[in-house]
Amino acid sequence: MPVAQSPQVQRVVITGIGVISALGLNQHQFWASLIEGKAGIVPFDQPEYGQIRFKNAAVIQGYCPEDHFPDKNAAFMDRFAQLSVVAAREAVQQSGIEWNEDLRERTAVITGSCIGGRIAEEVGYWNLFHLNKNRVHPLTIPLGMANSGASQISMEYGIHGATFTFSTACSSSAHALGHAFWMVRSGAAPMAIAGGADAPIYFGNLKAWEAMRVVSPDTCRPFSLDRAGMILGEAASMLVIEPLEAALARGAKPIAEIIGFGMSSDASHITQPSAEGAARAIRGAIRDGGIAPEQIGYINAHGTGTEANDKMEVAAIRLVFGEYAERLQISSTKSMHGHTLGAAGAIEASATALALDRGILPPTANFTQPDPECDLDVIPNQARTESVEIALSNSFAFGGLNAVLALRSMQ
């Protein structure tokens, strides 16, 4: 049966990727850790966190704000916003953009963040309720805004185009990338800087996740029979996306092509995921990309390492792909960089794009023994050298909000 073609106006490619995470301070370090199967999950060392049942997180090592920002600028930026700008700088540098008046006027900046600048808010609450102070920092509101990462990127480059932020829990930056893709494909924007950031390693947030009892006491083992939960991680990833024709005209090297985006709502439960809802988003991305399911060779799974998510995701994949699911190669890079919440969709789309570009599929690290209910090829522990034409990047969020990106290799 012929596959219906989506109404694409322009082919859209990724020409720059910036990443800062527990796997390293840049894209090179991130990729090296991914293909090595090296997890960035470490004990957090803040003394006040001693009351937390779990002791590990995927924390960025070696990041110093003063290496990137003058004090006067850093004072207006919560940690997640700083990470947003650092990642955007790397993406823009790799893309080789030569800014002109038209690009600055119309380029879009679209980001995702689950929690925004809560570190600044937590400091204020601590001062009020623990230290009995009567005032909070005068910049608490602008520091805490979830859109401050997007705004800071806009100011960094003098960009005047559409600039906004999605907050859809763990699908936030996947929604940001998908809508940026649609804007560039339709011609609504000539280029976009899109991605996400979150910095969730602070006491109040750790206590909140502790109360949910979904965080692992040691490490993240997605799809393993003995998996014990997720691991929180902090990160930012930003991507530069633009029309293929424009990228080639200016001599840029495309990393991968974005070909489809699908999204859905489970409309069923605020925390328990639905295989049917996830499957709708996967089908949407396939349909939007004008491709057949059998063309897909790799899926970067949402793969949180929780009991509920991993079984649901395998069930959703089987709903969409049927018997072909047995031939798919799937991995969860959360096993290495942790669950980065609002940054997850972007950091995992970046991993997927790099995998397509370099012909290496990252593994599911920390894998121990198969779960009969997660009985697909999850690329256990060792990266796999294999060229794949088309891949998906899955994001499934609390609230039942699902977002899936389809990417194609340029090789």
Side-chain angles (χ1 to χ4, degrees):
M1 179 182 295
V3 178
Q5 294 296 310
S6 63
Q8 295 189 15
V9 177
Q10 302 183 94
R11 293 178 66 184
V12 178
V13 294
I14 300 164
T15 55
I17 293 174
V19 187
I20 179 167
S21 72
L23 300 186
L25 300 178
N26 54 48
Q27 180 202 124
H28 173 75
Q29 294 174 5
F30 171 71
W31 179 249
S33 294
L34 279 185
I35 60 174
E36 188 182 337
K38 179 182 176 182
I41 298 166
V42 298
F44 41 74
D45 57 5
Q46 288 86 341
E48 67 271 23
Y49 295 173
Q51 303 171 52
I52 308 292
R53 288 193 186 95
F54 56 90
K55 304 299 180 185
N56 296 332
V59 181
I60 297 170
Q61 304 290 314
Y63 171 71
C64 298
E66 53 269 24
D67 293 341
H68 301 273
F69 305 100
D71 289 344
K72 64 178 183 179
N73 291 357
F76 285 86
M77 304 169 73
D78 190 87
R79 185 177 178 88
F80 96 100
Q82 294 175 18
L83 300 179
S84 299
V85 174
V86 170
R89 287 173 178 170
E90 183 181 23
V92 169
Q93 181 178 15
Q94 182 182 19
S95 72
I97 298 171
E98 294 183 2
W99 294 105
N100 57 43
E101 184 177 348
D102 182 63
L103 266 184
R104 285 195 168 95
E105 188 68 23
R106 298 179 54 223
T107 290
V109 180
I110 307 176
T111 64
S113 184
C114 178
I115 59 177
R118 295 287 181 83
I119 293 177
E121 293 182 0
E122 167 129 325
V123 170
Y125 297 147
W126 185 264
N127 287 337
L128 286 173
F129 303 130
H130 184 76
L131 301 180
N132 295 316
K133 293 186 178 180
N134 192 42
R135 300 181 64 186
V136 299
H137 193 284
L139 298 177
T140 300
I141 293 298
L143 286 168
M145 297 186 307
N147 63 286
S148 63
S151 296
Q152 291 289 348
I153 294 169
S154 171
M155 291 186 286
E156 175 84 6
Y157 296 105
I159 294 170
H160 298 282
T163 297
F164 55 97
T165 296
F166 286 91
S167 188
T168 50
C170 309
S171 293
S172 297
S173 55
H175 278 114
L177 282 167
H179 283 78
F181 158 62
W182 280 349
M183 287 184 70
V184 173
R185 186 175 70 176
S186 70
M191 179 180 289
I193 300 172
D198 260 326
I201 314 302
Y202 59 91
F203 184 67
N205 193 53
L206 296 177
K207 291 297 287 185
W209 281 101
E210 177 189 60
M212 289 205 73
R213 299 184 180 274
V214 295
V215 179
S216 171
D218 48 15
T219 195
C220 181
R221 293 183 289 273
F223 305 114
S224 290
L225 181 62
D226 61 345
R227 63 190 181 278
M230 56 180 273
I231 289 286
L232 287 167
E234 57 178 355
S237 184
M238 297 293 164
L239 295 80
V240 172
I241 64 174
E242 57 184 302
L244 173 62
E245 186 176 345
L248 295 178
R250 65 182 186 83
K253 179 187 180 299
I255 300 166
E257 181 180 4
I258 305 176
I259 59 173
F261 176 57
M263 53 185 175
S264 69
S265 174
D266 292 350
S268 61
H269 195 280
I270 200 71
T271 59
Q272 294 301 312
S274 159
E276 291 79 8
R280 286 188 190 96
I282 295 171
R283 291 191 188 101
I286 292 170
R287 184 171 57 250
D288 190 48
I291 55 175
E294 294 75 20
Q295 290 179 265
I296 295 163
Y298 170 67
I299 298 177
N300 187 295
H302 188 59
T304 61
T306 62
E307 179 70 17
N309 174 88
D310 294 2
K311 290 191 293 187
M312 177 282 297
E313 188 161 12
V314 169
I317 290 168
R318 288 193 176 281
L319 281 174
V320 175
F321 293 95
E323 293 183 0
Y324 182 71
E326 304 292 338
R327 298 170 58 188
L328 284 167
Q329 300 174 91
I330 301 162
S331 68
S332 171
T333 51
K334 285 186 177 74
S335 59
M336 293 174 274
H337 54 65
H339 193 338
T340 58
L341 304 184
I347 197 172
E348 291 157 22
S350 295
T352 305
L354 293 170
L356 291 173
D357 182 55
R358 298 172 187 188
I360 304 175
L361 304 181
T364 301
N366 311 315
F367 190 82
T368 53
Q369 53 186 318
D371 180 346
E373 295 187 76
C374 300
D375 56 345
L376 297 178
D377 178 2
V378 296
I379 316 180
N381 296 321
Q382 298 292 324
R384 193 172 291 169
T385 300
E386 185 165 340
S387 296
V388 166
E389 180 193 7
I390 296 174
L392 300 180
S393 181
N394 289 346
S395 296
F396 309 129
F398 277 176
L401 305 184
N402 311 300
V404 177
L405 290 153
L407 295 86
R408 177 158 44 209
S409 170
M410 299 299 296
Q411 303 305 314

